[in-house]
Amino acid sequence: MDGQIVFDDPENLSFRVDRRAYTDDDVAAQEITKIFDRCWLYVGHESEVPELGSYVSRDVGGRPVVMARGSDGVIRVLANSCPHRGALICSQSTGQARSFRCPYHDWTFSNQGDLVGVPLPDGYGPGFRKSDFGLARHRSDSYRGFVFATFDPEQPLTLTEHLAGATEYLDLIADQSEVGMEVIQGAQLHGARANWKLMMENSVDIYHFRALHKRYVSYIESLGTMAPRRRGGFARALGRGHGANELVPAAARPLAYWTPMFPPEVRSRMEATAARFVERFGAERAQRITGANRALMIFPNLMIIDAIGITIRKIDPVSAGQMSITSVALAPQDEDPDIRELRKSHYLTFLGPAGFATPDDIEIIESCQRGYLNRTLRHSDLSRGMAKEVPETTDELPAREFWRQWDRLMHDDDREEGHHLTRRAERQGGQRR
Ligand code: FES
Ligand code: FE
């Protein structure tokens, strides 16, 4: 990559990013080969393929894939491209099938990826073996129900190693149900005319909340369920480009903190649920699981916003100035039906693409992308909170952690020195500035 992009200067409490990182076609092309072709990438949640033969097809890191639960019960991430001449073997976004038939020449593949049927097979010579023409199976693994894949067979890290400190936060989310979490049926696919990294930064940026989402804030204030403006909570770097922030909520939330909005009989059911969490996890962890808001950023393409419901965003680059976003809601499988309704309503009215918040976010990151056209100002500043021992939720520590990993990967030094650097940061409690 030509020239320095990330200017990380802890001595002077300065952290700047060259805006070519968001606009340059060459940077975008290199991100594909150095990040998306190598890293562990989020694909989906196990609950999206609950039955034998269930599948979802989607693009991950620009590549069409199918996440399928085979008839043997194993979840695989298969290339959605026919080994014959390349057509998509699955054109439905979701469904259930024992096999996938390529529409071009009718080659048929089992839901485990094996080629099982070829029309007019006598057209091929004696050396033709079906076993040579199965769908490519990408290396995949899951953590607490979250399925990831890597397109790099040589990727040295296991998924758990890649997730580093982010496992603590995935646990806080997965532990919200005794029987398991599930994606609420239906994904929302949308996009933005902005660089994909702007959405990653935005999703973990609490600094903008009261400024950009004024309409929502004044609406919630009018309901009387929002606490007065306050600071606090904390931001964390979790290693390997992941970050999070966490806050005892100012607004309402499932379980304990939605109580003011419920009639008394629902409230008492919620309190009973909260009491069970205290029994299982102890008061402190139960409070953290059921009562804190958090945003979790998993490098490079996953955001989980666990506030007013749980939103999972898979973010993918399309080009330097365009991204695609897949957005779903996650919930406890055994959720009280009244709470589920409220959760769905909050998802749709706040974090969904047509909610109170997301259109503001899309509009502002598209505005940033347009602002970069004025090349007089070369850098964006992400230094907020660098002077603090424990950065707050409104600080930009998670974004800095993202950019440090981005910089290591773009310079190919993650596997050597960067590896050790990140390890050291983790040992220091993930509080690296
Ligand atoms: Fe799939 Fe020919 S391209 S069968
Ligand atoms: Fe926002």
Side-chain angles (χ1 to χ4, degrees):
M1 195 174 54
D2 294 336
Q4 191 176 356
I5 295 281
V6 177
F7 296 83
D8 183 2
D9 182 1
E11 295 289 295
N12 295 305
L13 304 177
S14 165
F15 194 103
R16 294 178 307 150
V17 173
D18 188 315
R19 292 175 178 177
R20 285 179 303 152
Y22 306 98
T23 59
D24 193 299
D25 292 336
D26 185 47
V27 171
Q30 289 192 46
E31 283 175 338
I32 296 298
T33 56
K34 296 188 170 177
I35 297 176
F36 287 90
D37 287 356
R38 291 184 182 173
C39 261
W40 284 99
L41 305 173
Y42 181 66
V43 179
H45 192 263
E46 286 176 357
S47 65
E48 293 179 272
V49 288
E51 315 284 344
L52 300 182
S54 300
Y55 66 84
V56 293
S57 73
R58 51 184 51 147
D59 284 7
V60 173
R63 301 191 194 206
V65 301
V66 180
M67 177 173 79
R69 191 184 289 270
S71 297
D72 57 355
V74 175
I75 295 176
R76 295 179 181 82
V77 178
L78 305 167
N80 188 2
S81 177
C82 182
H84 180 218
R85 300 256 289 274
L88 300 178
I89 52 93
C90 177
S91 55
Q92 303 294 315
S93 59
T94 181
Q96 193 172 5
R98 270 211 291 265
S99 60
F100 299 104
R101 178 173 302 175
C102 176
Y104 203 170
H105 310 92
D106 273 354
W107 282 23
T108 304
F109 305 87
S110 75
N111 56 20
Q112 300 174 43
D114 300 318
L115 176 62
V116 292
V118 175
L120 309 175
D122 55 355
Y124 291 99
F128 180 89
R129 287 195 306 266
K130 281 201 216 134
S131 56
D132 292 337
F133 290 92
L135 298 174
R137 292 174 183 162
H138 301 300
R139 183 175 156 198
S140 64
D141 199 356
S142 70
Y143 183 84
R144 302 292 313 262
F146 297 91
V147 179
F148 295 77
T150 171
F151 301 124
D152 180 4
E154 310 287 307
Q155 170 54 251
L157 300 178
T158 64
L159 175 61
T160 312
E161 285 171 334
H162 164 73
L163 291 173
T167 55
E168 174 188 339
Y169 282 81
L170 290 172
D171 290 342
L172 290 170
I173 292 162
D175 282 342
Q176 289 178 30
S177 168
E178 288 161 272
V179 299
M181 302 294 284
E182 66 181 3
V183 164
I184 299 174
Q185 202 186 1
Q188 291 176 307
L189 310 179
H190 61 120
R193 286 178 303 239
N195 185 270
W196 64 280
K197 298 184 290 299
L198 284 169
M199 196 60 177
M200 294 299 291
E201 288 173 355
N202 171 277
S203 302
V204 79
D205 171 22
I206 308 299
Y207 188 31
H208 76 259
F209 181 75
R210 285 194 180 250
L212 185 65
H213 303 303
K214 285 189 189 76
R215 267 183 326 151
Y216 179 73
V217 170
S218 52
Y219 165 67
I220 291 290
E221 278 172 349
S222 75
L223 298 178
T225 55
M226 189 150 189
R229 179 193 286 265
R230 62 186 165 145
R231 301 175 62 158
F234 51 90
R236 289 181 61 194
L238 301 170
R240 298 218 163 273
H242 319 312
N245 54 51
E246 189 166 334
L247 184 70
V248 172
R253 164 168 208 280
L255 298 175
Y257 283 86
W258 275 2
T259 49
M261 304 171 82
F262 280 105
E265 72 277 9
V266 179
R267 219 179 301 166
S268 63
R269 295 207 297 270
M270 293 172 85
E271 280 156 10
T273 307
R276 280 211 309 281
F277 273 82
V278 174
E279 255 167 52
R280 281 180 68 203
F281 297 107
E284 198 178 320
R285 185 168 168 78
Q287 165 63 23
R288 205 168 161 218
I289 293 168
T290 65
N293 279 347
R294 58 187 74 83
L296 170 63
M297 175 182 66
I298 297 190
F299 187 94
N301 74 331
L302 171 63
M303 276 301 317
I304 303 180
I305 302 168
D306 183 10
I308 331 178
I310 304 170
T311 299
I312 299 176
R313 283 180 183 157
K314 184 177 76 63
I315 294 165
D316 287 290
V318 176
S319 63
Q322 179 82 42
M323 79 182 89
S324 69
I325 304 165
T326 306
S327 185
V328 297
L330 189 75
Q333 282 174 25
D334 54 345
E335 189 158 51
D336 182 298
D338 294 317
I339 300 173
R340 175 63 68 92
E341 281 312 301
L342 191 63
R343 178 188 294 274
K344 288 197 299 203
S345 149
H346 276 222
Y347 170 74
L348 290 171
T349 57
F350 185 66
L351 284 162
F356 263 110
T358 302
D360 297 337
D361 294 312
I362 300 277
E363 189 177 14
I364 205 70
I365 62 176
E366 290 186 345
S367 155
C368 293
Q369 191 78 25
R370 274 193 39 73
Y372 300 154
L373 292 174
N374 186 326
R375 294 184 297 281
T376 318
L377 299 170
R378 289 264 315 273
H379 300 101
S380 288
D381 183 273
L382 290 158
S383 65
R384 193 178 160 78
M386 278 179 98
K388 294 182 198 161
E389 274 304 306
V390 182
E392 295 177 47
T393 47
T394 53
D395 292 330
E396 288 161 340
L397 172 70
R400 288 192 290 280
E401 175 66 19
F402 177 95
W403 278 108
R404 285 175 179 133
Q405 178 72 354
W406 183 91
D407 204 37
R408 285 192 286 270
L409 292 173
M410 291 292 272
H411 288 100
D412 294 309
D413 60 0
D414 179 60
R415 290 174 195 198
E416 293 89 29
E417 199 197 352
H419 185 79
H420 302 300
L421 272 177
T422 308
R423 283 289 152 102
R424 199 155 61 229
E426 283 165 34
R427 276 204 300 277
Q428 286 165 357
Q431 295 293 339
R432 189 179 173 194
R433 290 184 302 176

